[in-house]
Amino acid sequence: MGQSSERNNQSFVTDFILTGFSNDHDAQILHFVMFLLIYLAALMGNLLIIIVVSFNHHLHTPMHFFLVNLSISDICYISTTIPKSISTALTNDQRISFAGCLVQVFFVAVCAGSELALLTIMAYDRYVAICHPLQYFLIMNRGACIQMAVVSWLTNLISALLHTCINFSLQFCGSNIIGQYFCDIPQLQKISCTDTEISQNVIIISGIIFGSFCTGLIFVSYGYIFSVVLTISSVHSRYKALSTCIPHLTVFSLFLITVLFSYMRSKSLSSRTMDLLSAVLYTVLPPLLNPIIYSFRNKDIQEGVCKIMRIF
């Protein structure tokens, strides 16, 4: 009876410890500087896209509407993990409250899912623009675009709520040390003292269903796109059609590769260093590189940026 009571008392964890990258002072300073620069660059890049699209009426198109949604998702994504990590490196306070950990898990799940969902919608947008150009604005009308964006966000909010509830219904009666720079579901499952089979199966099944649907739709869309582009006789027209797809293909490939590396790599490659590296790849790299890729490859965005710069 005494042992049972002791275990129940231990099950109430009020906070967690984020071990981060290193306890060495010099390494923490380097971590602080690098993450601060990355965060500011990602924030400025994504905000710039939102501002440019908002203040240029000729950019009020379906493609740029979804690009703004992607930038909003990227800002939320990187803001969920990086500021706390920067604060930890600066103050050496590695504690995060139970509620703070829950919030991180929820928003990482929302933003990661929204990233893939929005990239899928953007692939469909390119398919309609290239394969059905005369019907483009009829199919991709304002109402349809808003509905697709709302469904994307709501679906991922519900999915993230489900994952968060399942994983925080676990008991943490032993260690509260998380071997990561943010609250990550796999790390929480590692330190749980209860059976995590259900939560692991939910992640695997939902990941396979949602991931297969999105990636399948993207590949099918680009299959049709390439089949149409190859029939275009003019090299200039062919390049113009493909140039609108290159930024999206690059962003999708980057996100897919980082996620696959993070969750599908063999156990022999699993270590604390590799866990940290993979987390950086799928939570930091996409929000940082997405605006850079779209700015470099999208002439409309470049012209919009130039106009904004001339105003200031």
Side-chain angles (χ1 to χ4, degrees):
M1 190 75 167
Q3 288 179 350
S4 176
S5 176
E6 184 180 351
R7 182 172 178 175
N8 289 334
N9 290 333
Q10 289 176 339
S11 67
F12 293 99
V13 171
T14 58
D15 55 27
F16 296 95
I17 305 295
L18 300 174
T19 57
F21 295 91
S22 175
N23 290 323
D24 180 71
H25 177 71
D26 293 336
Q28 285 180 327
I29 295 299
L30 179 63
H31 168 200
F32 167 76
V33 173
M34 288 184 65
F35 266 41
L36 180 62
L37 292 175
I38 288 171
Y39 181 62
L40 291 176
L43 210 60
M44 290 173 62
N46 285 291
L47 281 173
L48 188 60
I49 286 179
I50 294 170
I51 292 169
V52 166
V53 173
S54 299
F55 286 92
N56 287 272
H57 293 288
H58 74 282
L59 294 181
H60 291 180
T61 63
M63 181 181 73
H64 293 99
F65 169 75
F66 293 118
L67 181 57
V68 166
N69 273 268
L70 186 65
S71 291
I72 293 171
S73 176
D74 282 337
I75 290 171
C76 295
Y77 201 6
I78 201 165
S79 296
T80 302
T81 58
I82 294 294
K84 175 58 183 174
S85 183
I86 291 172
S87 172
T88 298
L90 187 64
T91 63
N92 200 30
D93 182 6
Q94 298 177 318
R95 293 184 178 275
I96 182 170
S97 67
F98 190 91
C101 192
L102 185 149
V103 168
Q104 278 197 336
V105 167
F106 176 75
F107 279 104
V108 166
V110 170
C111 295
S114 296
E115 190 99 0
L116 184 56
L118 289 167
L119 289 174
T120 304
I121 296 170
M122 291 168 80
Y124 176 72
D125 171 80
R126 292 300 82 207
Y127 157 74
V128 176
I130 294 172
C131 299
H132 305 282
L134 299 179
Q135 297 175 297
Y136 178 66
F137 287 105
L138 181 64
I139 297 172
M140 300 299 291
N141 59 72
R142 183 179 177 83
C145 291
I146 292 173
Q147 285 176 4
M148 284 188 278
V150 169
V151 168
S152 167
W153 284 105
L154 279 179
T155 301
N156 284 289
L157 282 168
I158 295 169
S159 174
L161 185 62
L162 173 66
H163 289 305
T164 305
C165 289
I166 289 174
N167 283 281
F168 279 89
S169 66
L170 300 173
Q171 288 188 331
F172 304 96
C173 52
S175 173
N176 66 339
I177 298 174
I178 298 175
Q180 191 56 269
Y181 67 92
F182 69 98
C183 286
D184 197 16
I185 288 177
Q187 297 295 329
L188 286 168
Q189 291 175 344
K190 281 184 180 179
I191 64 172
S192 172
C193 59
T194 49
D195 186 12
T196 60
E197 185 178 357
I198 293 176
S199 60
Q200 289 175 343
N201 288 338
V202 169
I203 290 174
I204 292 170
I205 293 169
S206 61
I208 290 173
I209 294 172
F210 182 66
S212 299
F213 174 78
C214 290
T215 53
L217 192 56
I218 290 172
F219 282 124
V220 168
S221 297
Y222 275 103
Y224 281 111
I225 287 170
F226 289 137
S227 66
V228 169
V229 169
L230 290 174
T231 62
I232 300 174
S233 56
S234 169
V235 175
H236 175 72
S237 298
R238 191 185 303 172
Y239 174 77
K240 187 177 180 181
L242 284 175
S243 66
T244 63
C245 301
I246 291 172
H248 176 267
L249 267 176
T250 307
V251 169
F252 169 67
S253 300
L254 171 70
F255 185 73
L256 183 63
I257 290 168
T258 55
V259 170
L260 286 176
F261 177 78
S262 300
Y263 288 99
M264 302 300 288
R265 68 184 190 276
S266 65
K267 291 184 178 180
S268 61
L269 292 175
S270 183
S271 65
R272 185 172 180 274
T273 302
M274 293 304 293
D275 287 346
L276 287 166
L277 175 62
S278 65
V280 170
L281 286 178
Y282 82 89
T283 61
V284 176
L285 214 58
L288 174 66
L289 295 183
N290 286 356
I292 297 173
I293 293 168
Y294 274 105
S295 297
F296 278 135
R297 298 297 312 183
N298 192 311
K299 289 184 179 180
D300 291 331
I301 294 293
Q302 290 176 7
E303 291 173 1
V305 170
C306 290
K307 286 182 181 178
I308 295 292
M309 296 300 287
R310 282 197 292 269
I311 292 174
F312 291 99

